[in-house]
Amino acid sequence: MSQHLLLPLAILAISPIPGAFQDSALSPTQEEPEDLDCGRPEPSARIMGGSDSQPGTWPWQVSLHQGGGHICGGSLIAPSWVLSAAHCFVTNGTLEPAAEWSVVLGVHSQDGPLDGAHVRAVAAILVPDNYSGVESGADVALLRLASPARLGPTVRPVCLPRASHRFAHGTACWATGWGDVQEADPLPLPWVLQEVELRVLGEAACQCLYSRPGPFNLTFQLLPGMLCAGYPEGRRDTCQGDSGGPLVCKEGGRWFQAGITSFGFGCGRRNRPGVFTAVAPYEAWIREQVLGSEPGPAFPTQSPELQSGLPEPTDENCTIALPECGKAPRPGAWPWEAQVMVPGSRPCYGALVSESWVLAPASCFPGRISSDLPPRDLDNWRVMLPSRPRAERVARLVPHENASWDDASNLALLQLRAPVNLSVAPRPVCLPHPEHYFLPGSRCRLARWGHTEPVPGAGSLLEAELLGVWWCHCLYGRQGESVPPPGEPPLALCPAYQEEEVAGRCWNYSHWSLLCREEGTWFLAGIRDLPSDCLRPRAFYPLQTHGPWISHVTRGAYLEDQLAWDWGPEGEETETQTCPPHTEHGACGLRPEPALTGGLWPWLAEVHVAGERVCTGILVAPGWVLAATHCILRLGSTTVPYIEVYLGRAGASPLPQSHQVTSAPPLLCQTEEGSWVLVGMAVRGSRDLFAAIGPEETWISQTVGEAHFLHPSGFPHWLPEGGDLCPPDMARASGSPRAALFLLLLTLLIQG
Ligand SMILES: *[C@@H]1O[C@H](CO)[C@@H](O)[C@H](O)[C@H]1NC(C)=O
Ligand SMILES: *[C@@H]1O[C@H](CO)[C@@H](O)[C@H](O)[C@H]1NC(C)=O
Ligand SMILES: *[C@@H]1O[C@H](CO)[C@@H](O)[C@H](O)[C@H]1NC(C)=O
Ligand SMILES: *[C@@H]1O[C@H](CO)[C@@H](O)[C@H](O)[C@H]1NC(C)=O
Ligand SMILES: *[C@@H]1O[C@H](CO)[C@@H](O)[C@H](O)[C@H]1NC(C)=O
Ligand SMILES: *[C@@H]1O[C@H](CO)[C@@H](O)[C@H](O)[C@H]1NC(C)=O
Ligand SMILES: *[C@@H]1O[C@H](CO)[C@@H](O)[C@H](O)[C@H]1NC(C)=O
């Protein structure tokens, strides 16, 4: 089981409930005879490790139905009273009519006829006057049944704690419910009541976790009357549909209800334990509501020795859980790399995503994913994992339902016969949740994926920075598709490579996956089918859209929250941007190809850097050549290397083998009058993406007095449709990737 998302925050003021019999003039603190036996289920064997409960284990658990379906959980506290959560009954500030609700008691599996169960109508729903939404606390409700429940082996009340009762940090308790088994993943048939062991987290320990800005830079201040239970590492939790259900702890042979399932941030996420309404502080309120009802709930006294528990870490010295996935000793040594061997096929690469599951392209298994039957030779399949002495055997192949027709879903999951012991290696890679936002500029790497050819350019770094979603979309997206804002799954992820394409090498027939790093942790961010040409893959299908499918199949893949969230106003302003029009030559206009022109572009310069790298420069005035910064300065280097500039020969002769061509040619556009204008310099690693020159006009003209700029009013006069045209707005385009905005002017010492 794991937990529901934080519910919508409704602002409301609940007035005293009409029809509720309450008389606040009476003292609620009088002692009641404990004539009701509580918290003692008939003994029954319980599967502690499993998640299905045994019938009769939790006889106070009830299911609250509305419109014929389970909505929330609750607990029987007296024959005529059920305890639950206020947010189950308050919609948009209004308490729902009691008549719409019914209580199902003694139910175990909710599939089919509710054998042994019985149903009671609800006479009244009582909610504290000051309940205003889960995040403000007081998320508690009492339901008065129209007629008392029939007590028996499967229907018994739970004990309630007194206000002085303490559930110490570290106490092992159990939460139960029919809620989702994971985020957005409903409990499968036959809907058997689920149980999960959770540890009480002391207030300071829990606040410490919630003070850590998680994804979306979100922190939460716990309020008095809230109780946390779960684990810093997450993975066990309550989830949507469990609301209102009990958190119970066993003391001296009795079960006490410590909490009411209230809310959480996602389900089972790391450092985000479930938040419950603490029951003990509501002793007086509960007694007040049930006054006069016989028999009422039982509040047995806690034995004094249980009042103190484990020492609790404080806000200052508490430890938060770190991701258990995505740690690699160094880039390229991937501890999740799984090599899948299928008889008759070449080895295929995938990634370990949990103790038992490997994710790989479905195209690794041609001819084996068409039928619903398991592949006949599955017994002979093997998976090699790093640091494992023997190959793993495969128990199951689960292809993605859309794998055969949708390249973006070319995925399959392989279950290993036996789970592997996770350590430094093998270790699973982290997977992104659907709302994960990989920041522009994130450091990424290519990793082997599927049937991969030997890496072109051995020793190549395969290092890349992510382009912004907008640029990625404009360059490789489908025309007319709107750009998703941050927080929505992107349509593609585009790496901008740190090193140049190696001339003459071809990336044909190679699949790659894109790994991106956040705070030292690697995420499997994207997958790529066959590239369409010899270039490195330019756009990857984002994996995050598949998170729900992967977690549904694996029940334990390492989906990890976003770790870096620094997307402020400088993040992408996607709403105001429009893509420049495309032509067959790239983002705009003509990209001069020396071979095509049959002659030389007289302004092109060959800039040789440190005797080996070559990039294209542009002669903008006698004595001045403009080149891209990335061409001259290497990452991390502050010194300008030895540079030579050759004029009048760019493209005329082939370069010696030792030279690496660092950049694509610049973008030039022709005006109506026939003169050529430099519009953009190629961005590192890209053939289609250019940093606009327009915004740099001031800087360039201040440095180079003689540089000639076309007056802006001269720009709109372009030739009509067709040919080598530039759209007028391209000349003044803004929003180029920052990395390329810095241009370097070279003073020519010797003019040749
Ligand atoms: C919630 O209440 C507000 C104001 O009372 C109203 O405008 C809105 O439509 C309501 N929403 C729903 C879903 O009922
Ligand atoms: C509601 O009122 C009670 C009693 O006055 C108080 O203890 C509690 O903190 C209040 N809760 C909220 C959410 O305002
Ligand atoms: C740190 O936490 C421990 C409990 O784990 C506690 O006993 C100790 O007092 C705390 N130390 C400080 C300096 O807060
Ligand atoms: C398969 O494709 C259909 C249609 O686009 C979509 O509704 C469905 O969610 C996809 N299945 C998965 C598991 O993503
Ligand atoms: C898993 O590895 C740890 C550390 O190497 C070891 O202590 C433990 O016994 C192993 N467990 C199994 C089931 O192999
Ligand atoms: C890559 O594909 C192109 C076009 O399909 C082909 O001409 C070329 O020979 C291929 N190169 C390799 C190394 O397979
Ligand atoms: C995170 O939120 C806090 C307070 O809301 C704010 O001061 C801080 O600047 C935010 N940090 C980032 C990186 O957005």
Side-chain angles (χ1 to χ4, degrees), residues 212-218 439 518-519 562-568:
R212 269 279 295 189
F216 315 110
N217 192 18
L218 197 74
L439 298 174
E518 283 181 6
E519 306 203 338
Q562 192 165 342
L563 301 172
W565 57 88
D566 194 7
W567 23 303

Side-chain angles (χ1 to χ4, degrees), residues 4-12 86-88 90-93 131-136 139 240 243 262-265:
H4 39 175
L5 297 155
L6 178 57
L7 285 144
L9 318 178
I11 307 298
L12 56 109
H87 79 255
C88 294
V90 176
T91 307
N92 206 12
Y131 169 75
S132 66
V134 287
E135 75 292 354
S136 323
D139 188 16
Q240 200 98 48
S243 286
S262 181
F263 68 94
F265 294 81

Side-chain angles (χ1 to χ4, degrees), residues 260-488:
I260 303 164
T261 302
S262 181
F263 68 94
F265 294 81
C267 303
R269 296 196 182 195
R270 198 168 47 82
N271 297 325
R272 292 291 180 268
V275 181
F276 296 76
T277 305
V279 177
Y282 290 94
E283 179 191 359
W285 182 79
I286 294 170
R287 286 186 189 270
E288 198 179 323
Q289 310 309 309
V290 303
L291 200 65
S293 176
E294 286 295 338
F299 292 87
T301 319
Q302 186 181 31
S303 22
E305 69 268 21
L306 293 170
Q307 291 271 323
S308 59
L310 295 171
E312 190 187 333
T314 64
D315 230 348
E316 289 72 40
N317 73 353
C318 73
T319 46
I320 56 151
L322 297 174
E324 292 170 50
C325 50
K327 291 274 183 292
R330 61 176 192 282
W334 308 122
W336 44 83
E337 189 175 80
Q339 202 181 342
V340 183
M341 327 270 240
V342 172
S345 294
R346 284 179 296 146
C348 213
Y349 288 94
L352 189 71
V353 296
S354 80
E355 288 79 352
S356 303
W357 291 88
V358 167
L359 183 69
S363 54
C364 282
F365 318 109
R368 280 146 167 122
I369 59 164
S370 45
S371 80
D372 289 341
L373 297 171
R376 264 177 297 148
D377 58 353
L378 199 62
D379 261 357
N380 301 324
W381 294 24
R382 293 289 182 274
V383 175
M384 304 290 296
L385 293 170
S387 303
R388 294 281 293 180
R390 279 184 299 279
E392 319 297 324
R393 305 187 66 184
V394 177
R396 198 146 73 98
L397 171 71
V398 184
H400 191 285
E401 58 174 317
N402 299 333
S404 50
W405 58 271
D406 176 18
D407 286 346
S409 303
N410 179 11
L411 290 170
L413 282 159
L414 288 178
Q415 187 175 23
L416 306 177
R417 283 253 178 107
V420 295
N421 195 1
L422 298 181
S423 61
V424 173
R427 187 200 290 277
V429 69
C430 298
L431 301 174
H433 282 289
E435 72 273 25
H436 199 112
Y437 180 60
F438 288 103
L439 298 174
S442 291
R443 292 309 175 86
C444 304
R445 296 275 181 163
L446 298 195
R448 289 192 280 197
W449 184 249
H451 293 303
T452 302
E453 293 294 312
V455 180
S460 154
L461 293 171
L462 303 177
E463 191 175 5
E465 270 178 29
L466 267 199
L467 284 180
V469 171
W470 180 81
W471 274 105
C472 180
H473 174 76
C474 289
L475 291 169
Y476 307 105
R478 265 179 246 138
Q479 293 290 309
E481 256 173 353
S482 55
V483 184
E488 275 178 29

